[in-house]
Amino acid sequence: MLQKMKRYLYKCIIGKVSPVKYAKKIGVNFLGDVHLYGSIHWGSEPWLIEIGEESHITNGVKFITHDGGTLIFRDKFPDLEITKPIKIGKKVYIGNDVILMPGVSIGNEVIIGAGAIVTHDIPDNSVAVGIPARVIKSTDEYLEKIKSESLHLGNLKGQEKDKALMKYYGYKGNSKGIYF
């Protein structure tokens, strides 16, 4: 019981303060610098997860490396087990609350839209969305679209960015409450 409590506290504290350190500690394989945002569920076999450099994993993403449905058949087939690795390429952005199912591979320079459920491989240079996730365009097409819609504020950070956004949209409030 004490060991469980220690693991829980470690996850809560180190997982929030240094999410990459925590993920490495539980076995996630990073192939370079990776950016983690918010709470990420690494599943029960985190050592089966491989993430390429310059990738961004956002809040609420869930990595599922096994099929728990096998449990209802274990009385007949005690050794039944479906567990598969998940591989993420280089320069991948995975939006909020995405679910990655066992055995999927995501190519390089891919964007997975928020809330998608990835049930099959996603090729390089793709934007995939939906349930199940499907490719809707190339990343080149996506780039052309966002360049034409850009507010040109991406180089700004924190309150400086907030002030520029407020000015752009004519908002008179303040953002001081979100900065400590």
Side-chain angles (χ1 to χ4, degrees), residues 83-172:
T83 301
K84 299 176 184 177
I86 296 173
K87 295 187 179 199
I88 309 297
K90 297 176 186 176
K91 296 182 84 172
V92 172
Y93 178 87
I94 301 179
N96 286 19
D97 300 315
V98 167
I99 299 173
L100 300 145
M101 299 302 287
V104 298
S105 289
I106 296 175
N108 298 319
E109 294 195 17
V110 170
I111 298 166
I112 307 293
I117 299 178
V118 182
T119 60
H120 60 276
D121 294 352
I122 304 295
D124 291 348
N125 305 308
S126 298
V127 176
V129 299
I131 302 172
R134 64 181 176 80
V135 175
I136 59 164
K137 62 178 81 174
S138 72
T139 50
D140 291 335
E141 292 168 318
Y142 174 77
L143 177 59
E144 288 308 309
K145 180 179 187 275
I146 63 172
K147 281 183 356 186
S148 71
E149 296 176 3
S150 176
L151 301 177
H152 302 287
L153 302 174
N155 57 317
L156 304 177
K157 302 283 184 235
Q159 287 180 312
E160 183 182 17
K161 186 175 187 177
D162 288 352
K163 287 177 185 176
L165 285 167
M166 287 178 198
K167 181 178 178 183
Y168 182 85
Y169 287 111
Y171 181 70
K172 303 290 185 220

Side-chain angles (χ1 to χ4, degrees), residues 1-178:
M1 181 69 166
L2 185 59
Q3 190 65 15
K4 267 186 157 177
M5 180 80 93
K6 281 179 166 178
R7 278 195 304 259
Y8 177 77
L9 288 173
Y10 185 84
K11 178 182 178 182
C12 290
I13 296 167
I14 301 301
K16 299 269 189 259
V17 175
S18 182
V20 172
K21 180 179 178 180
Y22 172 75
K24 285 180 179 179
K25 172 85 172 163
I26 63 170
V28 178
N29 298 287
F30 296 113
L31 305 178
D33 287 338
V34 174
H35 307 277
L36 305 177
Y37 310 95
S39 179
I40 298 163
H41 178 72
W42 297 108
S44 54
E45 298 86 17
W47 55 89
L48 290 176
I49 301 167
E50 181 179 288
I51 303 174
E53 63 185 320
E54 296 183 56
S55 290
H56 300 261
I57 313 297
T58 64
N59 190 52
V61 170
K62 292 181 182 175
F63 290 83
I64 300 175
T65 54
H66 70 275
D67 182 344
T70 59
L71 294 173
I72 66 169
F73 301 107
R74 290 246 177 99
D75 59 332
K76 296 175 191 151
F77 305 96
D79 63 347
L80 197 58
E81 178 71 27
I82 304 293
T83 301
K84 299 176 184 177
I86 296 173
K87 295 187 179 199
I88 309 297
K90 297 176 186 176
K91 296 182 84 172
V92 172
Y93 178 87
I94 301 179
N96 286 19
D97 300 315
V98 167
I99 299 173
L100 300 145
M101 299 302 287
V104 298
S105 289
I106 296 175
N108 298 319
E109 294 195 17
V110 170
I111 298 166
I112 307 293
I117 299 178
V118 182
T119 60
H120 60 276
D121 294 352
I122 304 295
D124 291 348
N125 305 308
S126 298
V127 176
V129 299
I131 302 172
R134 64 181 176 80
V135 175
I136 59 164
K137 62 178 81 174
S138 72
T139 50
D140 291 335
E141 292 168 318
Y142 174 77
L143 177 59
E144 288 308 309
K145 180 179 187 275
I146 63 172
K147 281 183 356 186
S148 71
E149 296 176 3
S150 176
L151 301 177
H152 302 287
L153 302 174
N155 57 317
L156 304 177
K157 302 283 184 235
Q159 287 180 312
E160 183 182 17
K161 186 175 187 177
D162 288 352
K163 287 177 185 176
L165 285 167
M166 287 178 198
K167 181 178 178 183
Y168 182 85
Y169 287 111
Y171 181 70
K172 303 290 185 220
N174 76 56
S175 64
K176 291 178 185 173
I178 65 172

